Amino acid sequence: MTFKEQILQGIPTILPAKREYPKDANSAPKRKDILSVEEKKLAIKNALRYFPKAWHPELAKEFANELKKFGRIYMYRFKPEYKIYARPISEYPAETQQAAAIILMIHNNLNPDIAQHPEELITYGGNGAVFQNWAQYLLVVQYLAIMTEEQTLHLYSGHPMGLFPSSKNAPRVVVTNGMMIPNYSKPNDWEKFNALGVTQYGQMTAGSFMYIGPQGIVHGTTITLMNAFRKILKKEENPNGKIFLTAGLGGMSGAQPKAGNIAGCITICAEINSRAATKRHQQGWVDVLIDDIDALVERTLEAQKNKEVISIAFIGNIINVWERFDEENIFIHIGSDQTSLHIPWTGGYYPADLSYEASNILIRENPELFKEEVQASLIRHANAINKHTKKGTYFFDYGNAFLLESSRAGADVMAENNIDFKYPSYVQDILGPMCFDYGFGPFRWVCASGNGDDLDKTDAIAAHVLKELMENSPEEIQLQMQDNITWIENAKSNKMVVGSQARILYADAEGRVKIAEAFNNAIAKGEIGAIILGRDHHDVSGTDSPFRETSNIYDGSKFTADMAIHNVIGDSFRGATWVSIHNGGGVGWGEVINGGFGMLLDGTEEADEKLKNMLFYDVNNGVARRSWARNEEAIFAIKREMERTPNLKITLPNLVEENLLKDLF
C-alpha cells in the first residue's frame, strides 16, 4: 500500500502481525500498577472497542500483557510501517488543505527526531502525549483525510469522537486533553484514568499538535537567560565565562544548552538519561558530553579561565554537580532546573545515588519507596542550591514545579511568611513584567511546503516587519523589539530546525498580525507556500498557571482559569483552524489549564480576515486580564491598544492608595 492508501485505511481490515518493541527505543517510564483487577478488565474492554470482535481473543491477551509490562495499553501492533515526519503538505491525502496541515503537524510531533518517546506517542515531558494509543492515531489521520470544510473533528483526550457537521468558518478540529472534574485531578487520578484509556496528559503543545522541537522553547529560554544576566551583571559586562547551571535534556529542557550558547555563557546541564543527552549532542544542541564529575570540574574551570561560550552536558545527577561545585568553590552565576517535576513519581525526576536503570525498576516495583527517595533528594537538592545562593547565585524556578514539589517534600524553599517561595518564578522576575504584560509571547509558524527557502523568506519578512514597527514603538518595548530582531536575523545561523521548517519569535498582537498578514500576501503572490501559524501555550493569554504563566498576577485570581477557557472559545469562532484546551501542562496535572490554536494561511481573503480577528483577540484577552490585575505594564499596553483600535473597550482598574487600607481591620 502507498503512504496515502495507508492514511486513508484507518484501522486495517486485516489484523497486522504482532510487532516486537524496538530494543534501541528511548522508552517511556513504566507506569504505576494502580488499577484493581476489575479496572484492568475495564481497560481491556475499553481498548478492544476500536477493533472487530473477531480480533478480540488475540488482542485481549496482548493488551493485558502490555498493561502488565508498561502500565498502559499502547497497541504497538498497530503502529504504521511508514516513517512519521512532517512531509510537504502536498503529499498528504485530504479533501481540505486545512486538514492536511493538521496531519502534517501531528506527524511533526511524532517524528522520532523530535518526540521524546515516539513508540508511546509521547512528544515531551515524560508524559506529554499526542494520542493514548496507535488506534486513535490511525482513526484521527483517516478522519482528517476524508473530512470536508463543513465538518469538525472532536477529540476527547486523543479519542476521535467523530466528524460532526459544522461550517466552513468553524474550526476543523477541537481538542481537549485531561479535562477532569476538579475533584478527580490529582496525580494518581491521571495514573488511573490514563491506564483505563479514558484520558491523557497533553502537556501543552504535545496534545495540540504545535510542538516544533526544542526550537520552540530556545527563544524563550534565550530571552530569559539574557535578561537574567542583565539583572545580575553590570551594564558593560557580558555573560562570557559566566556559569548557568541547570538540569534536563529531554524534550523542552533540551533547548537550554543551545539558548545558553546564544546568550553567550557557560551552560552546564545535567541529564540522568544518557540517551537523551547523546541525542542532543548528536543534534548539535550541546557542545560537549561528560560523564565524570572530576572531568566536569576540570573542564568548567578551564572554560571560566578562558571566558568561553560553551555548553556541557553532564551525564549524571544534578545534585552531585551543585554539591561538588560548592566543595570546589566554583561560583554559579545563574541556577535553575528543568527536569519534569510535574510527574515527580513516574520518571520526571531521578533521585541522587540511584542509577537511571535502578530508578526505573523502583518506579514500577516499589513506587512508595521511589517517592521517598525523590523527596529526600529534593531536600538535598534545595540545600545545595541554598548554599550557592548565599554566595550570590541568582536562582529562579523555571516553571517545572521544582519549588512546589520541594516545598511538599519539606525542603527549605519557603519565604519567611511561609506562603511564598524564597526564589521567584522566571515569569515573576522576567517574562511576566518584561514580555507577557506587554503582550509579547511565543508566536510561531511552519512552512507547510517543507521548503527551506520558504523559511528563509519568512525570516526576512518577519525581520522587515519588526524593524518597521520598531521605528514607531514606545520606549517601553524597544528592548523586546530589538531582542527579537536580533533573534530572527540570527535564527538560521543558530541551526534551529529539527523536523519541520519552523520558526518562533516573540511578538505582541500588532506584530503577530502584521507578520501573518505579510505572509498571507506573499502566499497569494506565489512567493512562498502555505504557512501554519501557532504559538506555545506558554503565552500571554493561553495559560492559567499560578506557579508559572500567571505567577505575576497578585489580585488573588491566579488560581482561576477563566482566561484560558475564554481564549480557546474566543479563538474558535474568530477563525482558528484548530483549537485545544488542556489540564496539566508544564507544572503538573491539576495545577494548570492551558490552550492553543493552529491556523492555516493559504493566501485567501478569508485567511486574511481570520488572522486579523483571531490573533488580535488571542493576545489582548490576556493583556486585558493582566491589566485588571493592576499590572502596570499591562495597563500601559491595553491603553495603547485601545488608542490603536477604537472598537476595543476594556474595563480598567481604579488603583487604590495603600494607606487607605492600614487601619480597616
Side-chain angles (χ1 to χ4, degrees):
M1 295 177 71
T2 66
F3 168 69
K4 289 184 178 181
E5 286 171 340
Q6 289 181 74
I7 292 285
L8 288 164
Q9 176 183 230
I11 302 290
T13 54
I14 299 172
L15 181 62
K18 187 178 179 181
R19 300 170 65 113
E20 292 299 321
Y21 188 85
K23 292 181 180 179
D24 60 346
N26 183 23
S27 57
K30 293 177 181 178
R31 306 303 182 185
K32 189 182 294 186
D33 184 7
I34 198 170
L35 299 182
S36 68
V37 172
E38 289 304 310
E39 287 169 336
K40 288 175 181 176
K41 292 178 182 178
L42 180 58
I44 301 299
K45 286 173 65 177
N46 288 344
L48 292 174
R49 287 182 288 190
Y50 290 103
F51 307 104
K53 221 171 183 180
W55 299 357
H56 287 187
E58 183 173 351
L59 292 180
K61 293 177 183 177
E62 185 176 317
F63 293 166
N65 286 333
E66 283 193 15
L67 193 58
K68 290 174 189 174
K69 187 175 181 180
F70 303 112
R72 297 292 186 272
I73 300 171
Y74 297 116
M75 307 179 187
Y76 291 118
R77 180 192 291 252
F78 293 93
K79 182 183 177 184
E81 296 287 345
Y82 55 77
K83 290 184 178 180
I84 297 178
Y85 64 95
R87 292 165 168 80
I89 195 169
S90 59
E91 294 186 19
Y92 291 101
E95 297 296 316
T96 164
Q97 196 177 36
Q98 291 184 336
I102 300 170
I103 305 176
L104 184 159
M105 295 304 293
I106 289 171
H107 279 187
N108 196 58
N109 270 28
L110 293 174
N111 181 343
D113 290 339
I114 288 177
Q116 186 180 19
H117 306 302
E119 300 298 322
E120 292 83 9
L121 302 110
I122 290 170
T123 302
Y124 67 88
N127 64 345
V130 184
F131 302 106
Q132 296 178 59
N133 56 59
W134 286 103
Q136 291 179 348
Y137 164 84
L138 293 175
L139 281 174
V140 167
V141 295
Q142 180 193 39
Y143 276 135
L144 288 168
I146 64 174
M147 78 185 309
T148 72
E149 288 187 335
E150 294 187 342
Q151 289 175 306
T152 294
L153 174 61
H154 289 262
L155 297 184
Y156 285 30
S157 288
H159 170 69
M161 195 56 68
L163 293 172
F164 288 79
S166 58
S167 73
K168 190 175 180 179
N169 291 324
R172 296 283 67 82
V173 179
V174 175
V175 178
T176 58
N177 282 302
M179 297 307 291
M180 304 297 292
I181 303 299
N183 280 351
Y184 299 88
S185 203
K186 297 292 189 294
N188 271 347
D189 293 321
W190 170 71
E191 294 281 1
K192 176 180 176 179
F193 293 108
N194 190 220
L196 283 173
V198 295
T199 195
Q200 74 174 9
Y201 197 100
Q203 263 289 346
M204 299 178 96
T205 53
S208 68
F209 323 141
M210 192 43 72
Y211 190 59
I212 58 169
Q215 179 186 179
I217 198 173
V218 168
H219 180 262
T221 305
T222 301
I223 294 292
T224 299
L225 275 179
M226 287 169 58
N227 285 294
F229 278 114
R230 285 167 179 159
K231 284 178 72 70
I232 66 168
L233 299 179
K234 294 176 182 176
K235 196 170 184 180
E236 63 275 9
E237 284 186 282
N238 66 47
N240 297 172
K242 312 292 193 301
I243 293 175
F244 167 49
L245 177 60
T246 185
L249 282 171
M252 294 295 235
S253 57
Q256 296 180 107
K258 175 72 80 171
N261 281 4
I262 297 169
C265 63
I266 300 167
T267 303
I268 300 166
C269 193
E271 172 56 60
I272 195 72
N273 182 349
S274 61
R275 283 182 176 174
T278 302
K279 181 178 179 179
R280 292 295 174 232
H281 183 248
Q282 290 171 343
Q283 291 175 335
W285 290 74
V286 63
D287 299 323
V288 178
L289 283 176
I290 294 177
D291 60 5
D292 178 79
I293 192 75
D294 293 329
L296 178 66
V297 168
E298 184 178 342
R299 186 66 184 88
T300 301
L301 291 172
E302 179 187 351
Q304 277 193 310
K305 180 181 178 181
N306 296 326
K307 294 187 176 181
E308 292 182 56
V309 175
I310 190 171
S311 55
I312 303 169
F314 173 66
I315 303 173
N317 198 293
I318 182 61
I319 296 171
N320 300 124
V321 183
W322 281 104
E323 291 177 341
R324 182 64 183 274
F325 278 24
D326 176 54
E327 293 169 10
E328 300 287 343
N329 207 27
I330 296 174
F331 183 70
I332 299 165
H333 296 79
I334 294 174
S336 194
D337 186 89
Q338 212 172 52
T339 52
S340 296
L341 268 159
H342 63 284
I343 46 168
W345 328 128
T346 54
Y349 180 92
Y350 286 84
D353 303 329
L354 270 180
S355 70
Y356 179 69
E357 293 75 18
S359 292
N360 285 334
I361 292 170
L362 198 60
I363 289 169
R364 182 70 176 169
E365 296 183 354
N366 195 338
E368 288 307 312
L369 178 57
F370 182 77
K371 181 177 179 179
E372 291 174 15
E373 293 285 348
V374 166
Q375 291 193 315
S377 287
L378 282 168
I379 292 172
R380 184 171 155 187
H381 194 163
N383 287 342
I385 289 167
N386 290 339
K387 289 181 180 179
H388 284 273
T389 57
K390 285 179 181 176
K391 299 176 185 178
T393 296
Y394 172 53
F395 182 87
F396 58 83
D397 186 291
Y398 221 154
N400 67 331
F402 173 74
L403 292 179
L404 181 64
E405 289 302 334
S406 296
S407 69
R408 289 169 175 169
D412 179 17
V413 294
M414 302 306 295
E416 289 183 9
N417 63 12
N418 209 33
I419 297 172
D420 302 314
F421 298 127
K422 68 163 67 174
Y423 302 115
S425 153
Y426 74 114
V427 174
Q428 283 177 289
D429 256 19
I430 299 168
L431 282 193
M434 291 196 66
C435 295
F436 292 167
D437 285 354
Y438 284 118
F440 282 80
F443 179 56
R444 58 179 59 167
W445 63 90
V446 174
C447 298
S449 66
N451 190 333
D453 289 341
D454 278 5
L455 186 60
D456 293 344
K457 290 173 184 176
T458 58
D459 284 349
I461 290 169
H464 177 74
V465 170
L466 290 179
K467 287 176 180 177
E468 280 195 337
L469 289 174
M470 188 174 175
E471 290 179 5
N472 296 310
S473 293
E475 183 180 348
E476 287 84 350
I477 62 172
Q478 286 281 313
L479 182 62
Q480 290 90 324
M481 296 295 293
Q482 185 56 61
D483 281 349
N484 281 284
I485 291 168
T486 302
W487 163 267
I488 198 67
E489 288 182 334
N490 292 288
K492 183 177 181 178
S493 63
N494 286 321
K495 299 178 181 178
M496 295 283 115
V497 172
V498 178
S500 61
Q501 296 293 322
R503 189 68 76 221
I504 186 171
L505 57 76
Y506 270 38
D508 60 7
E510 183 180 19
R512 297 185 207 199
V513 168
K514 289 191 179 299
I515 290 170
E517 192 176 13
F519 288 169
N520 202 50
N521 289 337
I523 297 165
K525 293 175 184 176
E527 296 170 355
I528 57 174
I531 298 291
I532 302 164
L533 299 182
R535 58 163 170 75
D536 197 342
H537 295 201
H538 173 62
D539 196 12
V540 181
S541 307
T543 297
D544 283 296
S545 179
F547 301 109
R548 195 162 81 179
E549 281 79 4
T550 46
S551 59
N552 71 319
I553 300 290
Y554 301 108
D555 68 348
S557 72
K558 69 180 181 179
F559 295 99
T560 67
D562 299 271
M563 179 177 72
I565 298 299
H566 274 269
N567 231 64
V568 70
I569 295 171
D571 285 359
S572 70
F573 64 76
R574 286 181 170 87
T577 305
W578 74 97
V579 291
S580 60
I581 191 76
H582 302 175
N583 167 24
V587 296
W589 186 260
E591 303 287 356
V592 50
I593 300 294
N594 65 92
F597 75 88
M599 173 181 277
L600 179 70
L601 300 183
D602 57 6
T604 61
E605 291 182 9
E606 291 88 346
D608 193 65
E609 183 180 341
K610 287 178 179 179
L611 74 85
K612 291 173 182 174
N613 201 11
M614 200 223 75
L615 294 177
F616 179 88
Y617 174 78
D618 187 65
V619 174
N620 282 305
N621 169 47
V623 180
R625 184 269 178 98
R626 293 167 185 277
S627 74
W628 185 240
R630 295 185 290 269
N631 291 15
E632 183 179 339
E633 295 84 358
I635 293 172
F636 167 85
I638 206 66
K639 284 182 176 179
R640 178 171 175 256
E641 194 60 86
M642 283 192 283
E643 290 176 5
R644 196 173 72 89
T645 313
N647 204 25
L648 178 68
K649 306 293 180 186
I650 298 300
T651 308
L652 295 174
N654 291 295
L655 303 182
V656 178
E657 296 290 338
E658 287 293 328
N659 60 6
L660 292 176
L661 310 175
K662 286 182 180 177
D663 301 316
L664 291 178
F665 303 101

